[in-house]
């Protein structure tokens, strides 16, 4: 004996068509959501790259200045420029020129 009659098969086929359409829509929404997620992650990565670039530029400018300050901050008496009348001003000029040179270089490269 048949469990599903010919008259009922029409209704089951209709339900099957609806389920296939829902499955296709679900797959389409999943693909669209994946595209939106990829776009979001790309924008986030670009923003992170911009932040990292700024931090790298700042570090590149300040690391040589820290080195110069560290050398002249040592308590050695054998450094001739320590006893020079304009040693302090010359150190400041050296630090300003170093930072300015890096800034000019970065501007010419259009990094800032």
């Amino acid at each position: 004996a048949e469990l599903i009659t010919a008259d009922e098969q029409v209704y089951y086929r209709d339900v099957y068509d609806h389920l296939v359409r829902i499955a296709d829509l679900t797959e389409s929404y999943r693909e669209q959501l994946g595209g939106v997620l990829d776009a979001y992650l790309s924008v986030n990565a670009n923003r992170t790259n911009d932040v990292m670039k700024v931090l790298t530029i700042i570090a590149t400018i300040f690391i040589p200045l820290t080195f110069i300050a560290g050398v002249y901050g040592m308590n050695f008496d054998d450094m001739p420029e320590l006893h020079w009348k304009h040693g302090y001003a010359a150190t400041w000029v050296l630090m300003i020129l170093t930072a300015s040179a890096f800034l000019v270089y970065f501007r010419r490269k259009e990094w800032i």
Side-chain angles (χ1 to χ4, degrees):
E2 287 188 22
L3 293 176
I4 301 173
T5 65
D7 293 337
E8 293 170 340
Q9 279 185 349
V10 174
Y11 295 113
Y12 282 110
R13 205 169 288 128
D14 187 45
V15 169
Y16 174 77
D17 288 341
H18 288 299
L19 290 175
V20 167
R21 188 175 302 144
I22 289 171
D24 289 343
L25 280 172
T26 302
E27 182 66 23
S28 172
Y29 291 152
R30 187 186 67 78
E31 289 176 6
Q32 288 177 356
L33 186 61
V36 168
L37 180 62
D38 288 343
Y40 169 75
L41 291 175
S42 177
V43 167
N44 229 5
N46 285 339
R47 192 175 306 137
T48 301
N49 287 342
D50 289 341
V51 169
M52 290 304 295
K53 184 170 82 170
V54 168
L55 291 176
T56 301
I57 289 171
I58 291 170
T60 303
I61 291 170
F62 279 100
I63 286 174
L65 301 181
T66 303
F67 174 74
I68 293 169
V71 167
Y72 286 102
M74 294 187 285
N75 292 324
F76 292 123
D77 221 18
D78 297 335
M79 296 172 72
E81 53 272 15
L82 289 180
H83 300 291
W84 183 36
K85 180 179 177 183
H86 302 290
Y88 182 74
T91 304
W92 269 105
V93 168
L94 175 67
M95 293 170 77
I96 290 170
L97 286 176
T98 302
S100 298
F102 276 116
L103 286 172
V104 167
Y105 176 76
F106 292 142
R107 293 230 177 177
R108 285 194 180 164
K109 290 283 191 175
E110 295 182 359
W111 290 350
I112 56 172

